[in-house]
Amino acid sequence: MLVHIKDLVQGAKKNGYAIGAFNIANFESVLAVAQAAVKAGSPAIIQVSESAIQYMGLKPITHIVSTVAKNVAANVPISLHLDHGSSFDTVFECISSGFTSVHIDASSLPLDENINLTKQVVKVAHARRVWVQGEVGAIVGSHEKNIKSKLKVIPLAKLDEIIQFVKQTRVDTIAAAIGTAHGIHANEDIVFSLLKVIKDKVKIPFVLHGGSGISDAKIRKAIKQGVNIINVGTDLKVAFCRALIGVCLKNKQETDPRNLLKPTIAAVEKAVLGKMKLFGSAGRVATIS
Ligand code: 13P
């Protein structure tokens, strides 16, 4: 069932686990996340990036996610979230479309401009009971072909800027650059000393971006330090593509696309299930009120 993200985050905060925010790319990956949530008995966030919206269309995505949540995952709570919205217009369209949470990512702008744009989004979103995620200290990286490549620099967010940003914008959740990167990179990490001071000073839920490529031990430690949402994108794209390439190579004469796509659903589902167990959200449906 579709629920407000607030319900998921409150359950995670109270019970010391994290919820996976899974980037979806197509119908198959939406189905895979929903099926994994049912198998694991886990809450889940389904999140869409602007490129996913360009690929599928905002209305189709919104309808697919809500229909799948209602019919495939009727007994597990799922929320729909916009990931890295870059403009007021995109965020506004998602709010109007029924999202209960939006990320406005103005982190590449100077801090005062980031604060101003985020404040405008918060005003409109809160009037409609929608949660807003803000970001400080742009999280770098991308999904590259060479997934083990090293990034030249992974800049870190500044604590005083995060504190000022949260106070002035009144965002509901905060993302900040703490050493992870989007994609899978050999030199990404979690700077636990920075995470600790952020958690000491900033009381709203912290969102860890760049969840792919971080060791299980470090993910567990981050959850112990109070991370409540973990974004996962690349690991799911890789699972999908590996499965698709494998089945296509073995079945070059296949003429039914469903026979080529079924293994991709199973592969993404398996990857999501593994994350739900790692994040401690498996078997936690009863903690959501
Ligand atoms: P990964 O692709 O590294 O999992 O990061 C996803 C993410 O943070 C989306 O915002």
Side-chain angles (χ1 to χ4, degrees):
M1 72 194 116
L2 261 196
V3 302
H4 197 291
I5 199 166
K6 161 175 66 102
D7 301 331
L8 300 193
V9 175
Q10 280 168 355
K13 237 183 142 178
K14 229 200 250 164
N15 295 281
Y17 63 88
I19 299 160
F22 301 104
N23 284 87
I24 57 92
N26 49 23
F27 170 70
E28 285 71 23
S29 50
V30 175
L31 203 52
V33 175
Q35 288 178 179
V38 172
K39 274 196 186 152
S42 170
I45 297 166
I46 289 183
Q47 61 179 4
V48 293
S49 61
E50 288 182 343
S51 58
I53 292 174
Q54 271 160 23
Y55 180 67
M56 294 173 79
L58 180 58
K59 285 272 180 263
I61 286 190
T62 311
H63 286 285
I64 287 169
V65 173
S66 62
T67 301
V68 169
K70 200 165 150 190
N71 294 287
V72 178
N75 298 317
V76 295
I78 290 179
S79 281
L80 177 58
H81 171 75
L82 168 69
D83 187 32
H84 293 286
S86 62
S87 69
F88 184 85
D89 287 353
T90 305
V91 166
F92 188 74
E93 280 169 22
C94 289
I95 292 172
S96 306
S97 202
F99 287 47
T100 58
S101 176
V102 288
H103 174 200
I104 175 71
D105 178 6
S107 60
S108 55
L109 299 176
L111 184 66
D112 58 335
E113 290 176 36
N114 184 2
I115 289 174
N116 280 340
L117 178 53
T118 306
K119 267 166 99 172
Q120 286 174 40
V121 168
V122 168
K123 194 171 169 207
V124 169
H126 283 183
R128 290 163 173 79
R129 295 185 54 253
V130 169
W131 267 26
V132 178
Q133 181 184 138
E135 180 169 330
V136 178
I139 296 151
V140 291
S142 64
H143 174 69
E144 292 169 14
K145 277 197 179 133
N146 179 6
I147 56 171
K148 289 277 156 63
S149 67
K150 269 194 175 181
L151 289 165
K152 276 198 194 103
V153 267
I154 302 182
L156 297 177
K158 294 190 178 77
L159 178 65
D160 56 333
E161 292 194 355
I162 300 171
I163 294 171
Q164 186 191 345
F165 178 89
V166 169
K167 203 169 159 197
Q168 291 190 14
T169 59
R170 309 182 75 81
V171 287
D172 303 281
T173 60
I174 183 73
I178 61 165
T180 58
H182 296 119
I184 298 174
H185 300 281
N187 56 334
E188 64 176 313
D189 203 351
I190 299 176
V191 179
F192 285 101
S193 53
L194 179 55
L195 176 59
K196 185 173 183 323
V197 286
I198 294 171
K199 286 303 301 173
D200 285 347
K201 300 278 181 201
V202 176
K203 294 303 167 201
I204 61 172
F206 186 87
V207 183
L208 184 71
H209 279 244
S212 306
I214 304 294
S215 73
D216 288 2
K218 285 183 179 167
I219 291 287
R220 281 192 202 97
K221 188 170 169 186
I223 296 168
K224 275 213 179 96
Q225 276 192 215
V227 167
N228 291 127
I229 299 176
I230 302 178
N231 286 7
V232 181
T234 307
D235 278 344
L236 308 189
K237 284 185 190 157
V238 171
F240 182 98
C241 291
R242 294 279 181 274
L244 185 60
I245 292 165
V247 73
C248 288
L249 288 175
K250 274 195 218 133
N251 300 279
K252 288 189 181 151
Q253 307 306 321
E254 180 60 63
T255 54
D256 186 337
R258 290 167 296 193
N259 291 335
L260 300 175
L261 288 166
K262 269 187 217 155
T264 70
I265 301 172
V268 176
E269 183 186 308
K270 189 172 166 215
V272 172
L273 253 173
K275 300 292 179 189
M276 287 169 165
K277 286 180 188 155
L278 174 64
F279 299 167
S281 67
R284 300 292 195 141
V285 163
T287 64
I288 311 297
S289 52

